[in-house]
Amino acid sequence: MILIRKSIRVLINFIHMRASLKSFDTITNETEFSSSALALFGYQFEHNKVYRSYCDLLNINRSDVQKISEIPFLPIQFFKSHIVISNSTLPKKYFESSGTTGQICSKHYLLDLSLYHKSFEKCFELFYGDIENYAIIALLPSYKREHSSLVYMINEWIKKTNHPLSGFYLNEWDQLKNTLEDLESKNQKTILLGVSFALLEAIEKYDWNLNNTIIMETGGMKGMRKELIRSDLHRCLKEGFGVKSIHAEYGMTELLSQAYSNADGIFYCPPWMQVSIRDPEDPFEIQSFGKTGGLNIIDLANVDSCAFIATQDLGILHADSGFEVLGRFDQAELRGCNLMIV
């Protein structure tokens, strides 16, 4: 009887803690962010076996972490080699990164899909306002991929616009041209969003002069073209579409939140997401503003996986918390990222 009562108390505490962590979208300041991050660290330290093993290997106890700068970041590679979940039951729903044949892809398991909805809906609203004011035109490859987090998000955007011309238009070039001209003639606010190579192909096929359309690139040549640095890519797209600036979305399979840039490739996060820069030679040393290093990300929407991720992207953090993405580390494993095999 005592064991049953104890188990019930543990379950109730688990439910209450998880419920409080799901309110990440109410965060408005640094104090609330720090408090929520520390609470989520404690929760995932106790309930995420992979993350706990990594902390144990680093000899980090829960009581050792008193501020967010002391929270360890899990190397993102573990989403390829391990099941990274903060619960005892393997969820049926997951997102999977794209990859070539034979390549191991990351999997991000989701116990509660509503967390993703809450994050991308609130994030869009913060940066762009009411989505019902827009038409969404998407140029994305393999848009029928069931497990693409980006395609899932854009498909939900399209449905929420309630606009009859919102949709996926990849390789339907004449229809794309006619649709955008129709939207422009009606002064309809529009977002044309796509992977880099598709946007480049669009400006090669037609002459454009868009006045009511936001061009948003999501990165990724995916081996389709020679890689361009972001400044060169944006210069080409600005000239090709006849717009003053290029917007960009920064996200990944392993995150449930996104950062956005409205010009110059400088991204900003929603209040529940933060970026820091680690030393490329010492992954446990955090860099000061203006120095190049690896991007560490805290995403408080990642309640049921891991919210503290060391990515393979290189970048710079500015004093106003904006950040730039400069590229990726090469295939060599970073020192410290191969510490753990479980």
Side-chain angles (χ1 to χ4, degrees):
M1 182 65 69
I2 294 175
L3 289 176
I4 293 175
R5 288 176 178 175
K6 184 178 180 180
S7 297
I8 292 174
R9 285 198 301 270
V10 170
L11 178 60
I12 291 174
N13 289 336
F14 174 86
I15 293 172
H16 285 172
M17 174 60 76
R18 186 176 176 277
S20 67
L21 295 171
K22 290 172 65 176
S23 62
F24 61 85
D25 61 320
T26 64
I27 292 171
T28 59
N29 56 56
E30 180 61 32
T31 299
E32 292 174 353
F33 181 89
S34 296
S35 176
S36 296
L38 289 170
L40 186 52
F41 164 74
Y43 173 81
Q44 294 185 340
F45 183 90
E46 296 296 338
H47 298 288
N48 187 318
K49 292 181 179 180
V50 172
Y51 187 54
R52 173 63 174 270
S53 296
Y54 185 67
C55 291
D56 289 346
L57 196 61
L58 298 178
N59 199 28
I60 294 176
N61 297 312
R62 180 175 178 176
S63 60
D64 296 330
V65 176
Q66 299 297 319
K67 50 188 178 180
I68 61 173
S69 60
E70 297 170 339
I71 295 175
F73 289 83
L74 183 73
I76 200 169
Q77 295 94 317
F78 287 107
F79 280 83
K80 293 184 178 182
S81 58
H82 296 73
I83 297 174
V84 183
I85 54 175
S86 293
N87 53 79
S88 58
T89 303
L90 181 64
K92 294 181 180 180
K93 179 65 180 179
Y94 65 89
F95 291 127
E96 186 174 39
S97 62
S98 59
T100 58
T101 303
Q103 184 179 16
I104 299 174
C105 298
S106 292
K107 285 188 176 181
H108 188 181
Y109 289 90
L110 294 95
L111 181 65
D112 186 353
L113 194 56
S114 70
L115 294 176
Y116 189 39
H117 279 256
K118 182 187 294 189
S119 180
F120 68 66
E121 290 171 7
K122 182 66 175 291
C123 198
F124 185 97
E125 182 181 345
L126 286 171
F127 285 94
Y128 293 100
D130 189 345
I131 196 168
E132 292 187 1
N133 294 329
Y134 290 88
I136 301 293
I137 307 298
L139 300 179
L140 297 175
S142 304
Y143 60 81
K144 294 183 179 179
R145 284 185 59 230
E146 179 183 0
H147 297 294
S148 166
S149 59
L150 176 61
V151 170
Y152 182 92
M153 179 179 74
I154 302 308
N155 191 49
E156 291 301 308
W157 282 6
I158 287 170
K159 288 189 289 187
K160 285 186 173 296
T161 64
N162 292 318
H163 197 289
L165 295 181
S166 291
F168 293 93
Y169 286 79
L170 187 66
N171 296 327
E172 298 172 300
W173 298 111
D174 290 341
Q175 187 177 359
L176 173 69
K177 176 69 169 176
N178 293 336
T179 296
L180 285 175
E181 287 180 347
D182 186 13
L183 293 168
E184 283 283 324
S185 69
K186 297 174 181 176
N187 295 320
Q188 169 64 51
K189 293 171 65 175
T190 302
I191 295 178
L192 172 60
L193 174 146
V195 289
S196 303
F197 75 82
L199 293 174
L200 288 171
E201 188 168 352
I203 63 175
E204 291 172 354
K205 287 186 174 292
Y206 302 104
D207 293 324
W208 304 88
N209 185 23
L210 303 177
N211 298 309
N212 303 297
T213 302
I214 292 172
I215 308 299
M216 181 184 295
E217 57 94 358
T218 64
M221 294 294 186
K222 300 294 184 184
M224 300 293 289
R225 287 172 176 254
K226 180 181 177 181
E227 290 283 351
L228 295 174
I229 62 173
R230 179 166 266 114
S231 58
D232 287 344
L233 170 65
H234 285 198
R235 177 180 52 78
C236 291
L237 294 179
K238 282 191 290 186
E239 293 175 357
F241 284 111
V243 295
K244 295 181 179 179
S245 64
I246 300 297
H247 293 228
E249 181 262 357
Y250 178 81
M252 58 186 66
T253 299
E254 300 83 359
L255 301 176
L256 293 186
S257 301
Q258 307 79 38
Y260 290 97
S261 167
N262 62 12
D264 303 321
I266 300 176
F267 292 91
Y268 293 91
C269 298
W272 58 88
M273 178 182 179
Q274 281 191 9
V275 170
S276 59
I277 305 295
R278 67 182 184 274
D279 189 311
E281 298 298 326
D282 180 359
F284 306 112
E285 180 70 26
I286 299 300
Q287 300 271 58
S288 57
F289 297 123
K291 290 188 177 181
T292 301
L295 269 62
N296 286 351
I297 296 178
I298 299 177
D299 181 5
L300 300 184
N302 277 21
V303 174
D304 296 314
S305 54
C306 183
F308 315 100
I309 298 176
T311 78
Q312 290 183 303
D313 290 331
L314 283 167
I316 294 176
L317 183 65
H318 297 281
D320 66 350
S321 297
F323 68 96
E324 297 178 62
V325 182
L326 304 179
R328 292 175 61 83
F329 286 98
D330 60 26
Q331 295 302 311
E333 289 293 326
L334 301 179
R335 190 182 312 163
C337 287
N338 59 350
L339 287 175
M340 172 188 160
I341 301 178
V342 295

